Short mmCIF file of all heavy atoms in Angstrom, two decimals:
data_model
loop_
_atom_site.label_atom_id
_atom_site.label_comp_id
_atom_site.label_asym_id
_atom_site.label_seq_id
_atom_site.Cartn_x
_atom_site.Cartn_y
_atom_site.Cartn_z
N PHE A 1405 105.16 92.20 100.11
CA PHE A 1405 104.21 93.03 99.36
C PHE A 1405 104.03 94.36 100.10
O PHE A 1405 103.07 94.57 100.84
CB PHE A 1405 102.87 92.30 99.22
CG PHE A 1405 103.00 90.97 98.53
CD1 PHE A 1405 103.10 89.80 99.28
CD2 PHE A 1405 103.10 90.88 97.16
CE1 PHE A 1405 103.25 88.57 98.67
CE2 PHE A 1405 103.26 89.65 96.53
CZ PHE A 1405 103.33 88.49 97.28
N PRO A 1406 104.98 95.28 99.92
CA PRO A 1406 105.00 96.52 100.70
C PRO A 1406 103.81 97.44 100.46
O PRO A 1406 103.55 98.33 101.27
CB PRO A 1406 106.31 97.19 100.28
CG PRO A 1406 106.66 96.57 98.96
CD PRO A 1406 106.14 95.17 99.03
N GLN A 1407 103.05 97.23 99.36
CA GLN A 1407 101.88 98.06 99.14
C GLN A 1407 100.86 97.91 100.28
O GLN A 1407 100.12 98.84 100.60
CB GLN A 1407 101.18 97.68 97.82
CG GLN A 1407 102.06 97.78 96.59
CD GLN A 1407 102.63 96.43 96.22
OE1 GLN A 1407 103.10 95.69 97.09
NE2 GLN A 1407 102.59 96.10 94.93
N VAL A 1408 100.83 96.71 100.88
CA VAL A 1408 99.85 96.45 101.93
C VAL A 1408 100.25 97.17 103.22
O VAL A 1408 99.43 97.33 104.12
CB VAL A 1408 99.69 94.93 102.15
CG1 VAL A 1408 98.51 94.64 103.07
CG2 VAL A 1408 99.50 94.21 100.82
N ASN A 1409 101.50 97.61 103.29
CA ASN A 1409 101.98 98.34 104.48
C ASN A 1409 102.14 99.83 104.18
O ASN A 1409 102.80 100.55 104.92
CB ASN A 1409 103.33 97.77 104.93
CG ASN A 1409 103.66 98.10 106.37
OD1 ASN A 1409 102.85 97.88 107.26
ND2 ASN A 1409 104.86 98.63 106.61
N ALA A 1410 101.50 100.29 103.12
CA ALA A 1410 101.65 101.67 102.69
C ALA A 1410 100.35 102.45 102.94
O ALA A 1410 99.36 101.91 103.43
CB ALA A 1410 102.02 101.71 101.21
N GLU A 1411 100.39 103.73 102.60
CA GLU A 1411 99.16 104.55 102.67
C GLU A 1411 99.17 105.53 101.51
O GLU A 1411 100.22 105.91 100.99
CB GLU A 1411 99.05 105.29 103.99
CG GLU A 1411 99.94 106.51 104.14
CD GLU A 1411 99.64 107.30 105.40
OE1 GLU A 1411 100.07 106.87 106.49
OE2 GLU A 1411 99.02 108.36 105.30
N ILE A 1412 97.97 105.94 101.11
CA ILE A 1412 97.80 106.93 100.06
C ILE A 1412 97.68 108.30 100.70
O ILE A 1412 96.85 108.50 101.59
CB ILE A 1412 96.56 106.61 99.20
CG1 ILE A 1412 96.74 105.28 98.49
CG2 ILE A 1412 96.30 107.73 98.20
CD1 ILE A 1412 95.51 104.83 97.71
N ASP A 1413 98.50 109.24 100.25
CA ASP A 1413 98.45 110.61 100.75
C ASP A 1413 98.31 111.54 99.56
O ASP A 1413 99.30 111.92 98.94
CB ASP A 1413 99.73 110.93 101.54
CG ASP A 1413 99.68 112.32 102.17
OD1 ASP A 1413 98.58 112.88 102.29
OD2 ASP A 1413 100.75 112.84 102.54
N GLY A 1414 97.07 111.89 99.25
CA GLY A 1414 96.83 112.70 98.06
C GLY A 1414 97.19 111.94 96.81
O GLY A 1414 96.62 110.88 96.52
N GLU A 1415 98.16 112.47 96.05
CA GLU A 1415 98.62 111.80 94.85
C GLU A 1415 99.91 111.01 95.09
O GLU A 1415 100.52 110.51 94.14
CB GLU A 1415 98.85 112.83 93.74
CG GLU A 1415 97.56 113.55 93.32
CD GLU A 1415 97.79 114.52 92.19
OE1 GLU A 1415 98.97 114.71 91.79
OE2 GLU A 1415 96.81 115.08 91.68
N ASP A 1416 100.31 110.91 96.36
CA ASP A 1416 101.53 110.18 96.70
C ASP A 1416 101.20 108.89 97.43
O ASP A 1416 100.15 108.75 98.04
CB ASP A 1416 102.45 111.04 97.59
CG ASP A 1416 102.89 112.32 96.91
OD1 ASP A 1416 103.05 112.29 95.67
OD2 ASP A 1416 103.05 113.34 97.60
N VAL A 1417 102.14 107.96 97.37
CA VAL A 1417 102.07 106.72 98.13
C VAL A 1417 103.23 106.72 99.11
O VAL A 1417 104.39 106.93 98.73
CB VAL A 1417 102.15 105.48 97.22
CG1 VAL A 1417 102.13 104.20 98.06
CG2 VAL A 1417 100.99 105.48 96.23
N ILE A 1418 102.93 106.50 100.38
CA ILE A 1418 103.97 106.46 101.41
C ILE A 1418 104.22 105.00 101.78
O ILE A 1418 103.35 104.34 102.35
CB ILE A 1418 103.54 107.26 102.66
CG1 ILE A 1418 103.26 108.72 102.28
CG2 ILE A 1418 104.61 107.17 103.75
CD1 ILE A 1418 102.72 109.55 103.42
N PHE A 1419 105.41 104.51 101.42
CA PHE A 1419 105.80 103.15 101.78
C PHE A 1419 106.51 103.19 103.13
O PHE A 1419 107.47 103.94 103.32
CB PHE A 1419 106.72 102.55 100.71
CG PHE A 1419 106.02 102.24 99.42
CD1 PHE A 1419 105.99 103.18 98.40
CD2 PHE A 1419 105.38 101.03 99.24
CE1 PHE A 1419 105.33 102.90 97.21
CE2 PHE A 1419 104.72 100.74 98.05
CZ PHE A 1419 104.69 101.67 97.04
N LYS A 1420 106.06 102.39 104.04
CA LYS A 1420 106.57 102.42 105.41
C LYS A 1420 107.50 101.22 105.63
O LYS A 1420 107.07 100.08 105.50
CB LYS A 1420 105.40 102.39 106.40
CG LYS A 1420 104.45 103.57 106.19
CD LYS A 1420 103.20 103.48 107.03
CE LYS A 1420 102.26 104.63 106.71
NZ LYS A 1420 101.01 104.56 107.48
N HIS A 1421 108.73 101.53 105.99
CA HIS A 1421 109.72 100.49 106.21
C HIS A 1421 109.84 100.18 107.70
O HIS A 1421 110.95 99.99 108.22
CB HIS A 1421 111.06 100.91 105.60
CG HIS A 1421 110.96 101.23 104.13
ND1 HIS A 1421 110.62 100.28 103.19
CD2 HIS A 1421 111.11 102.39 103.46
CE1 HIS A 1421 110.59 100.84 101.99
NE2 HIS A 1421 110.87 102.12 102.12
N TYR A 1422 108.73 100.15 108.35
CA TYR A 1422 108.62 99.73 109.75
C TYR A 1422 107.26 99.06 109.90
O TYR A 1422 106.37 99.25 109.05
CB TYR A 1422 108.78 100.91 110.72
CG TYR A 1422 107.78 102.03 110.50
CD1 TYR A 1422 106.60 102.10 111.24
CD2 TYR A 1422 108.00 103.01 109.54
CE1 TYR A 1422 105.68 103.11 111.04
CE2 TYR A 1422 107.09 104.03 109.33
CZ TYR A 1422 105.92 104.07 110.09
OH TYR A 1422 105.01 105.09 109.88
N TYR A 1423 107.10 98.31 110.97
CA TYR A 1423 105.91 97.47 111.08
C TYR A 1423 105.29 97.65 112.47
O TYR A 1423 105.65 96.97 113.43
CB TYR A 1423 106.28 96.00 110.82
CG TYR A 1423 106.95 95.84 109.47
CD1 TYR A 1423 108.35 95.91 109.36
CD2 TYR A 1423 106.21 95.68 108.32
CE1 TYR A 1423 108.98 95.81 108.14
CE2 TYR A 1423 106.84 95.58 107.08
CZ TYR A 1423 108.20 95.65 107.00
OH TYR A 1423 108.82 95.56 105.77
N ASP A 1424 104.38 98.62 112.55
CA ASP A 1424 103.61 98.87 113.76
C ASP A 1424 102.24 98.23 113.55
O ASP A 1424 101.40 98.76 112.81
CB ASP A 1424 103.47 100.37 114.01
CG ASP A 1424 104.79 101.02 114.41
OD1 ASP A 1424 105.73 100.27 114.72
OD2 ASP A 1424 104.88 102.26 114.40
N ILE A 1425 102.03 97.10 114.18
CA ILE A 1425 100.86 96.27 113.91
C ILE A 1425 99.74 96.57 114.92
O ILE A 1425 99.92 96.41 116.13
CB ILE A 1425 101.21 94.77 113.96
CG1 ILE A 1425 102.40 94.49 113.03
CG2 ILE A 1425 100.00 93.93 113.58
CD1 ILE A 1425 102.15 94.82 111.57
N GLY A 1426 98.60 97.01 114.41
CA GLY A 1426 97.44 97.21 115.24
C GLY A 1426 96.70 95.90 115.46
O GLY A 1426 96.55 95.10 114.52
N VAL A 1427 96.27 95.67 116.69
CA VAL A 1427 95.53 94.45 117.03
C VAL A 1427 94.17 94.87 117.58
O VAL A 1427 94.09 95.47 118.66
CB VAL A 1427 96.29 93.60 118.07
CG1 VAL A 1427 95.50 92.34 118.40
CG2 VAL A 1427 97.68 93.24 117.56
N ALA A 1428 93.12 94.61 116.82
CA ALA A 1428 91.78 95.03 117.24
C ALA A 1428 91.32 94.20 118.43
O ALA A 1428 91.38 92.97 118.41
CB ALA A 1428 90.80 94.86 116.07
N VAL A 1429 90.88 94.88 119.48
CA VAL A 1429 90.38 94.22 120.68
C VAL A 1429 89.08 94.90 121.10
O VAL A 1429 88.85 96.06 120.80
CB VAL A 1429 91.40 94.25 121.84
CG1 VAL A 1429 92.63 93.45 121.49
CG2 VAL A 1429 91.78 95.68 122.18
N SER A 1430 88.27 94.16 121.81
CA SER A 1430 87.00 94.69 122.28
C SER A 1430 87.18 95.22 123.69
O SER A 1430 87.41 94.45 124.63
CB SER A 1430 85.93 93.60 122.25
OG SER A 1430 84.68 94.11 122.68
N GLY A 1431 87.11 96.54 123.86
CA GLY A 1431 87.19 97.16 125.17
C GLY A 1431 85.83 97.25 125.82
O GLY A 1431 84.82 96.82 125.26
N SER A 1432 85.79 97.84 127.01
CA SER A 1432 84.53 97.92 127.74
C SER A 1432 83.54 98.85 127.07
O SER A 1432 82.34 98.75 127.29
CB SER A 1432 84.79 98.39 129.17
OG SER A 1432 85.29 99.72 129.19
N ARG A 1433 84.03 99.78 126.23
CA ARG A 1433 83.16 100.75 125.59
C ARG A 1433 83.15 100.64 124.06
O ARG A 1433 82.66 101.52 123.38
CB ARG A 1433 83.54 102.17 126.00
CG ARG A 1433 83.23 102.47 127.45
CD ARG A 1433 83.69 103.87 127.84
NE ARG A 1433 83.22 104.22 129.18
CZ ARG A 1433 83.83 103.90 130.29
NH1 ARG A 1433 84.94 103.18 130.24
NH2 ARG A 1433 83.34 104.26 131.46
N GLY A 1434 83.71 99.55 123.54
CA GLY A 1434 83.69 99.37 122.09
C GLY A 1434 85.03 98.91 121.56
O GLY A 1434 85.99 98.67 122.30
N LEU A 1435 85.10 98.81 120.24
CA LEU A 1435 86.29 98.31 119.57
C LEU A 1435 87.41 99.35 119.59
O LEU A 1435 87.18 100.52 119.27
CB LEU A 1435 85.97 97.95 118.13
CG LEU A 1435 87.10 97.36 117.29
CD1 LEU A 1435 87.41 95.95 117.75
CD2 LEU A 1435 86.74 97.37 115.82
N VAL A 1436 88.60 98.92 119.97
CA VAL A 1436 89.78 99.77 119.90
C VAL A 1436 90.90 98.99 119.25
O VAL A 1436 90.89 97.76 119.22
CB VAL A 1436 90.22 100.27 121.30
CG1 VAL A 1436 89.21 101.24 121.88
CG2 VAL A 1436 90.43 99.10 122.25
N VAL A 1437 91.89 99.72 118.70
CA VAL A 1437 92.98 99.06 117.98
C VAL A 1437 94.31 99.59 118.52
O VAL A 1437 94.93 100.48 117.93
CB VAL A 1437 92.88 99.30 116.46
CG1 VAL A 1437 93.93 98.47 115.72
CG2 VAL A 1437 91.49 98.97 115.95
N PRO A 1438 94.79 99.05 119.64
CA PRO A 1438 96.11 99.44 120.13
C PRO A 1438 97.19 98.88 119.21
O PRO A 1438 96.98 97.90 118.48
CB PRO A 1438 96.17 98.81 121.52
CG PRO A 1438 95.21 97.67 121.46
CD PRO A 1438 94.12 98.09 120.53
N VAL A 1439 98.36 99.50 119.26
CA VAL A 1439 99.42 99.22 118.29
C VAL A 1439 100.64 98.62 118.98
O VAL A 1439 101.11 99.13 119.99
CB VAL A 1439 99.82 100.51 117.54
CG1 VAL A 1439 100.95 100.22 116.55
CG2 VAL A 1439 98.61 101.08 116.81
N VAL A 1440 101.15 97.53 118.41
CA VAL A 1440 102.41 96.94 118.85
C VAL A 1440 103.51 97.55 117.99
O VAL A 1440 103.59 97.30 116.78
CB VAL A 1440 102.40 95.40 118.69
CG1 VAL A 1440 103.73 94.81 119.13
CG2 VAL A 1440 101.26 94.79 119.48
N ARG A 1441 104.37 98.36 118.60
CA ARG A 1441 105.40 99.10 117.86
C ARG A 1441 106.57 98.19 117.48
O ARG A 1441 106.98 97.33 118.25
CB ARG A 1441 105.93 100.26 118.71
CG ARG A 1441 104.86 101.19 119.26
CD ARG A 1441 104.25 102.03 118.18
NE ARG A 1441 103.15 102.85 118.73
CZ ARG A 1441 102.36 103.60 118.00
NH1 ARG A 1441 102.51 103.64 116.69
NH2 ARG A 1441 101.39 104.29 118.56
N ASN A 1442 107.09 98.43 116.27
CA ASN A 1442 108.27 97.70 115.78
C ASN A 1442 108.13 96.20 116.02
O ASN A 1442 109.03 95.54 116.56
CB ASN A 1442 109.53 98.23 116.47
CG ASN A 1442 109.78 99.71 116.17
OD1 ASN A 1442 109.72 100.12 115.02
ND2 ASN A 1442 110.02 100.49 117.20
N ALA A 1443 106.98 95.68 115.61
CA ALA A 1443 106.68 94.27 115.87
C ALA A 1443 107.66 93.33 115.19
O ALA A 1443 107.84 92.19 115.64
CB ALA A 1443 105.25 93.96 115.41
N ASP A 1444 108.32 93.78 114.12
CA ASP A 1444 109.26 92.91 113.42
C ASP A 1444 110.52 92.64 114.25
O ASP A 1444 111.26 91.69 113.96
CB ASP A 1444 109.66 93.54 112.08
CG ASP A 1444 110.26 94.93 112.25
OD1 ASP A 1444 109.68 95.74 112.99
OD2 ASP A 1444 111.30 95.22 111.63
N LYS A 1445 110.76 93.45 115.26
CA LYS A 1445 111.95 93.28 116.09
C LYS A 1445 111.67 92.49 117.37
O LYS A 1445 112.55 92.32 118.21
CB LYS A 1445 112.54 94.65 116.45
CG LYS A 1445 112.89 95.50 115.24
CD LYS A 1445 113.50 96.82 115.63
CE LYS A 1445 113.76 97.71 114.43
NZ LYS A 1445 114.60 97.08 113.40
N LEU A 1446 110.44 92.02 117.54
CA LEU A 1446 110.04 91.34 118.77
C LEU A 1446 110.00 89.83 118.57
O LEU A 1446 109.65 89.33 117.50
CB LEU A 1446 108.66 91.82 119.22
CG LEU A 1446 108.51 93.33 119.48
CD1 LEU A 1446 107.09 93.65 119.92
CD2 LEU A 1446 109.52 93.81 120.52
N SER A 1447 110.36 89.10 119.62
CA SER A 1447 110.26 87.64 119.61
C SER A 1447 108.80 87.23 119.79
O SER A 1447 107.93 88.06 120.10
CB SER A 1447 111.11 87.05 120.73
OG SER A 1447 110.57 87.43 122.00
N LEU A 1448 108.54 85.92 119.64
CA LEU A 1448 107.18 85.43 119.87
C LEU A 1448 106.73 85.73 121.30
O LEU A 1448 105.58 86.11 121.53
CB LEU A 1448 107.12 83.93 119.59
CG LEU A 1448 107.28 83.48 118.13
CD1 LEU A 1448 107.22 81.96 118.05
CD2 LEU A 1448 106.21 84.09 117.24
#
């Protein structure tokens, strides 16, 4: 379902054929969302 990996840019939809997955974590000063790049190419 590539729509869930897309974004709306004005009147366009940008479909992203890569998977950079943000993982929300609680830091010392609040919530941050660091990103695991190209997660589809990584093993468990």
Side-chain angles (χ1 to χ4, degrees):
F1405 302 97
Q1407 303 97 315
V1408 190
N1409 200 50
E1411 76 173 77
I1412 296 175
D1413 184 18
E1415 296 182 355
D1416 299 327
V1417 178
I1418 301 175
F1419 290 92
K1420 302 173 183 178
H1421 304 296
Y1422 58 95
Y1423 304 92
D1424 291 347
I1425 306 300
V1427 180
V1429 295
S1430 181
S1432 65
R1433 290 177 172 84
L1435 182 72
V1436 291
V1437 187
V1439 178
V1440 179
R1441 307 289 176 186
N1442 298 312
D1444 57 314
K1445 303 182 184 304
L1446 302 180
S1447 66
L1448 292 179

